[in-house]
Amino acid sequence: MTQALETQLNTQIKNSTSATFTKLVSKEGGFEYDLDPINICENTFAPLEVAYDYDKIRATVTRETIEAGPNSIWRYRPFLPVATDNVIDVGTGMTPLVKSTRLARRLGLKNLYIKNDAVNMPTLSFKDRVVSVALTRAREFGFSTVSCASTGNLANSTAAIASHAGLECCVFIPADLEAGKVLGTLIYNPIVMAVKGNYDQVNRLCSEVANTHGWGFVNINLRPYYSEGSKTLAYEVAEQLGWQLPDHIVAPIASGSLYTKIHKGFKEFAKVGLVEDKDVRCSGAQAEGCSPVAQAFKEGRDFVAPVKPNTIAKSIAIGNPADGVYALEQARKTNGHIESVTDAEIIEGIKLLAETEGIFTETAGGTTIAVLKKLAEEGKIDPDETTVAYITGNGLKTQEAVQGYIGEPLAIDPKLDSFERAWDRAQTLERLDWQQVLV
Ligand SMILES: Cc1ncc(COP(=O)(O)O)c(C=O)c1O
């Protein structure tokens, strides 16, 4: 971007009456920066965070103004870092908050809710939230090509929303992703770079490309804006609970961005008086085969040591998480837990959610449910706590994970006697104990 364009954009934001975001601030040392496409503090190498004018938000935003807004994340626009009214609204957000009965009973919890981003629009994961914000901002910066380093869902989302917005798109993924994730990107016809390496290697390569190509990388140079989109997962839950904060949340951790931004969202709503403040306990979920934050939590360390991922939960397989340390701090400060579960437990988690609530999630959601179960069984969730489990992606994209662990259709002829024989056989098949689940 030229110096002249940058100056023009910063002036545009400063003069915008609707923009409530004011600057970028380093997470270490408080160094301040203009609202440019940058993500790292030059002095401390810490991530940059968007700061807002909360007095301005408090003066103009009420529960009623939000309720009168669009049925999407953009009803919370004053809390999002975009300067113009020309937002990309593809219907992202306002996904169901499901009050659980069967899963709750199974786990011995009385007030369990599932935030179901497995049905988020347009690409069936929470990433549509962060990408809607990032590409709106990318357009404001004047980028014509957008990109990302992705574990799968982000590539789906970036490609789809770039198509909608008419932006050129080139995404980078590890070469060994699930077929559904790859197809779910290719269908939008972007350039897809399948890198022979893990996500952390993809990410390093993308940082170099971002420096040389002048593209808008949603999770690199646009990361401070992009990550703010995850706060809408907190706002929606608060609104859907009748303008109250939950007592406890359980969410997956990959880079740690979603987990930390949910907490920021709750704090912001309390700060501007939309809800009563509360210390929401934040628990995090990782797969044992990639659990650098859970390991640090368990060992009482205040640093996160990078690991080499080896798990079926590819979408959350980030061995060197950018916000890992902040996630760790947040779990301790809020009296939450960060736990890890094995691949076998993840598969069980996927099946348990499907069989009790009718929600088919991917491996990240299986991880969340398995950790929820573990915490409930260990008494780390009070049965009376209003607990929200965040289901962030859809199971149809990671079918490989459950193949071989579910039943098979009974092949029959189109004849009544063939059906009757199969029905008799079905009664003898080993199946889940429905009595226990359904009661
Ligand atoms: C389905 C799903 N859930 C959760 C996450 C975790 O995201 P974060 O990197 O913000 O921790 C990801 C990351 O890609 C994901 O794809």
Side-chain angles (χ1 to χ4, degrees):
M1 194 179 330
T2 64
Q3 189 70 42
L5 182 56
E6 266 185 42
T7 312
Q8 185 195 328
L9 284 162
N10 280 315
T11 312
Q12 173 198 335
I13 291 160
K14 275 178 198 133
N15 293 341
S16 162
T17 46
S18 57
T20 54
F21 60 130
T22 53
K23 58 191 170 214
L24 298 177
V25 181
S26 171
K27 284 184 109 156
E28 312 285 343
F31 296 96
E32 296 184 0
Y33 294 86
D34 279 343
L35 293 161
D36 295 332
I38 49 171
N39 62 317
I40 297 288
C41 173
E42 285 171 354
N43 299 296
T44 61
F45 302 110
L48 299 178
E49 182 84 15
V50 176
Y52 294 83
D53 178 348
Y54 290 109
D55 290 334
K56 190 169 176 182
I57 299 177
R58 199 180 294 108
T60 52
V61 177
T62 63
R63 292 176 182 180
E64 291 72 29
T65 59
I66 291 174
E67 283 163 357
N71 194 39
S72 72
I73 57 166
W74 295 110
R75 69 207 276 116
Y76 309 110
R77 205 203 116 179
F79 296 90
L80 297 172
V82 299
T84 64
D85 289 327
N86 186 21
V87 298
I88 302 173
D89 191 347
V90 283
T92 299
M94 291 310 279
T95 55
L97 181 70
V98 180
K99 174 92 186 3
S100 163
T101 50
R102 296 187 174 124
L103 178 61
R105 205 174 296 145
R106 187 75 178 264
L107 301 181
L109 301 176
K110 294 189 194 133
N111 292 306
L112 175 65
Y113 291 82
I114 308 294
K115 179 61 174 166
N116 186 9
D117 259 24
V119 294
N120 200 15
M121 286 288 142
T123 68
L124 311 177
S125 91
F126 90 98
K127 292 288 183 185
D128 295 327
R129 299 173 183 274
V130 281
V131 173
S132 292
V133 175
L135 296 198
T136 296
R137 192 80 188 110
R139 220 164 47 175
E140 291 178 353
F141 280 127
F143 287 113
S144 54
T145 301
V146 292
S147 187
C148 66
S150 172
T151 56
N153 284 308
L154 182 58
N156 294 170
S157 210
T158 303
I161 301 177
S163 282
H164 177 87
L167 294 163
E168 290 295 321
C169 181
C170 173
V171 298
F172 296 73
I173 54 173
D176 70 346
L177 285 191
E178 300 92 341
K181 294 265 169 78
V182 179
L183 186 145
T185 297
L186 286 170
I187 191 64
Y188 304 107
N189 203 19
I191 305 292
V192 178
M193 299 288 174
V195 181
K196 293 176 203 144
N198 62 32
Y199 172 80
D200 300 288
Q201 293 169 305
V202 173
N203 195 36
R204 265 195 300 279
L205 169 64
C206 285
S207 297
E208 290 177 52
V209 178
N211 285 334
T212 53
H213 272 66
W215 295 347
F217 271 83
V218 301
N219 56 341
I220 300 180
N221 52 356
L222 295 169
R223 189 172 177 84
Y225 311 99
Y226 148 96
S227 55
E228 290 286 288
S230 286
K231 297 188 307 184
T232 58
L233 280 164
Y235 306 146
E236 286 177 24
V237 161
E239 186 179 346
Q240 289 167 322
L241 286 174
W243 298 103
Q244 285 182 48
L245 300 185
D247 296 314
H248 200 152
I249 62 126
V250 183
I253 295 177
S255 71
S257 174
L258 157 111
Y259 175 80
T260 49
K261 293 293 178 168
I262 289 174
H263 186 250
K264 182 177 181 187
F266 289 143
K267 284 289 157 212
E268 286 182 332
F269 253 28
K271 197 183 204 114
V272 301
L274 286 168
V275 294
E276 205 172 296
D277 200 7
K278 188 189 260 186
D279 292 323
V280 181
R281 297 177 65 199
C282 298
S283 288
Q286 294 211 293
E288 206 165 281
C290 185
S291 51
V293 191
Q295 280 172 23
F297 184 84
K298 201 185 319 178
E299 290 164 19
R301 280 192 265 119
D302 57 6
F303 65 94
V304 174
V307 300
K308 216 167 172 191
N310 180 18
T311 170
I312 57 163
K314 294 175 195 283
S315 60
I316 50 171
I318 298 186
N320 190 11
D323 292 300
V325 169
Y326 306 108
L328 195 58
E329 257 175 41
Q330 182 178 308
R332 294 197 174 119
K333 231 195 250 164
T334 64
N335 195 23
H337 298 272
I338 301 179
E339 265 292 355
S340 61
V341 285
T342 63
D343 284 357
E345 289 172 305
I346 292 169
I347 294 165
E348 280 312 308
I350 294 173
K351 291 176 66 181
L352 182 61
L353 184 67
E355 289 164 3
T356 56
E357 299 295 342
I359 294 171
F360 183 18
T361 186
E362 66 142 80
T363 47
T367 307
T368 302
I369 293 300
V371 165
L372 173 78
K373 179 168 179 279
K374 199 166 182 176
L375 295 178
E377 284 170 357
E378 290 173 356
K380 290 176 177 160
I381 297 176
D382 185 318
D384 289 315
E385 280 184 316
T386 298
T387 301
V388 177
Y390 282 94
I391 297 305
T392 48
N394 193 294
L396 288 170
K397 296 195 208 178
T398 62
Q399 295 180 36
E400 295 91 333
V402 290
Q403 225 110 55
Y405 299 95
I406 49 178
E408 284 184 8
L410 300 178
I412 60 171
D413 295 322
K415 297 202 175 105
L416 188 58
D417 65 332
S418 179
F419 158 73
E420 294 295 359
R421 273 200 310 278
W423 180 244
D424 286 345
R425 195 150 41 90
Q427 308 314 304
T428 65
L429 292 176
E430 197 183 310
R431 295 183 68 204
L432 197 84
D433 184 352
W434 288 104
Q435 297 306 324
Q436 219 188 327
V437 179
L438 301 175
V439 187

